[in-house]
């Protein structure tokens, strides 16, 4: 196996039209690692994930997956390279069944038997999705929709899962369950880059974290160090 990190971003700059949002961001996620990205509203976290999954183009800097340059590659090529994105707001097809939403995650795969096995794995991980497989995704609760969105990401058989706002708007019990499942997914060898508003939860879950402030990395380090940092406790945890 290559020693290159799963994801290596160097000096990334990006934005929308004339508005630059990301300034010189460098970040890495090693194989099997769980890393979180924290920062206030509008800091650029979503834009960063959208760059990594090829939706927003970099104006300079590089993005490499497993040591291979993927800067400004097409989203489908990033999916083929093992990157799956669970977007903010879940973005399910609400008038389609839970099963069909899950299968959308496998749209680039032609290994039918492995896809069927992965679908069963998602149902085992989230039994409620198995119970609701024929129901329209739009009728699921918020927590169930997030399970479905994560399940759809897993159906791409990723080695790196990007998750934007895991817990936003969800009940604490649903968040607890999702966190447990993310630990399982990560233990199974999938690296995770997590954007999360709840900084305490994010740092307790992750190995390392990066703080993004106005489109720049303002701090990074082991989660334990960030959790203990007085500036972070004051700015993001209200402590
Ligand atoms: P939040 O936690 O509120 O989602 P964020 O850290 O994810 O915030 P982004 O959504 O990446 O931040 O937004 C960063 C900046 O980019 C904001 O100033 C936002 O207004 C701007 N922005 C985001 N999407 C677009 C777009 N499609 N067109 C123009 N500007 C955008």
């Amino acid at each position: 196996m290559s020693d290159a990190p799963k994801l290596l971003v160097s000096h990334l700059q990006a934005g929308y039209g004339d508005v630059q949002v990301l300034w010189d961001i460098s970040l890495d996620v090693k194989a099997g690692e769980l890393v979180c990205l924290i920062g206030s509203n509008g800091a650029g976290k979503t834009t960063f994930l959208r760059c990594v999954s090829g939706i927003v183009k970099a104006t300079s800097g590089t993005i490499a997956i497993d040591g291979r340059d993927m800067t400004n590659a097409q989203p489908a090529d990033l999916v083929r390279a093992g990157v799956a994105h669970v977007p903010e707001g879940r973005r399910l097809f609400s008038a389609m069944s839970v099963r069909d939403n899950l299968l959308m995650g496998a749209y680039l795969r032609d290994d039918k038997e492995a896809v069927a096995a992965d679908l069963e794995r998602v149902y085992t991980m989230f039994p409620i999705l198995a119970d609701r497989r024929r129901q329209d995704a739009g009728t699921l609760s918020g927590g169930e929709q997030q399970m479905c969105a994560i399940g759809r990401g897993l159906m791409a058989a990723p080695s790196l899962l990007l998750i934007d706002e895991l817990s936003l708007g969800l009940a604490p019990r649903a968040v607890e369950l999702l966190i447990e499942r993310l630990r399982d997914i990560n233990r199974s060898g999938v690296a995770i880059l997590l954007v999360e508003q709840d900084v305490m939860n994010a740092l307790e879950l992750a190995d390392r974290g990066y703080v993004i402030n106005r489109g720049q990395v303002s701090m990074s380090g082991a989660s334990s160090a960030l959790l203990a940092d007085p500036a972070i406790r004051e700015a993001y945890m209200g402590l």
Side-chain angles (χ1 to χ4, degrees), residues 16 21 39-48 50 88 164-165 197:
Y16 304 95
V21 174
S40 47
N41 286 339
K45 307 178 297 297
T46 295
T47 303
F48 181 80
R50 299 180 98 218
E88 187 174 9
D164 198 353
E165 302 291 6
Q197 293 271 335

Side-chain angles (χ1 to χ4, degrees), residues 120-196:
E120 286 312 312
R121 213 166 289 143
V122 170
Y123 287 151
T124 304
M125 177 171 285
F126 299 115
I128 191 81
L129 297 183
D131 297 346
R132 306 280 156 90
R133 68 182 83 189
R134 288 187 191 80
Q135 196 168 312
D136 284 353
T139 62
L140 297 176
S141 73
E144 291 161 1
Q145 290 194 18
Q146 188 63 292
M147 292 174 202
C148 192
I150 291 170
R152 179 182 56 188
L154 291 176
M155 288 304 294
S159 51
L160 173 64
L161 195 55
L162 311 174
I163 303 182
D164 198 353
E165 302 291 6
L166 179 75
S167 74
L168 198 65
L170 303 183
R173 180 70 198 93
V175 176
E176 264 174 48
L177 192 144
L178 287 166
I179 285 178
E180 275 315 304
R181 292 297 85 83
L182 283 198
R183 283 191 212 280
D184 295 339
I185 293 165
N186 181 237
R187 272 190 217 113
S188 77
V190 178
I192 297 178
L193 179 58
L194 172 71
V195 165
E196 174 55 40

Side-chain angles (χ1 to χ4, degrees), residues 190-213:
V190 178
I192 297 178
L193 179 58
L194 172 71
V195 165
E196 174 55 40
Q197 293 271 335
D198 185 330
V199 170
M200 185 87 86
N201 264 339
L203 289 173
E204 279 174 358
L205 180 63
D207 304 307
R208 288 190 297 125
Y210 289 82
V211 181
I212 296 204
N213 197 356

Side-chain angles (χ1 to χ4, degrees), residues 7 9 12-16 22 44-60 63 70-73 78 85 162:
L7 169 68
V9 176
L12 179 72
Q13 320 240 35
Y16 304 95
L22 302 179
K45 307 178 297 297
T46 295
T47 303
F48 181 80
L49 292 191
R50 299 180 98 218
C51 276
V52 174
S53 60
I55 303 165
V56 170
K57 301 302 175 198
T59 47
S60 65
I63 298 172
M70 300 291 289
T71 316
N72 291 341
L78 282 147
H85 187 167
L162 311 174

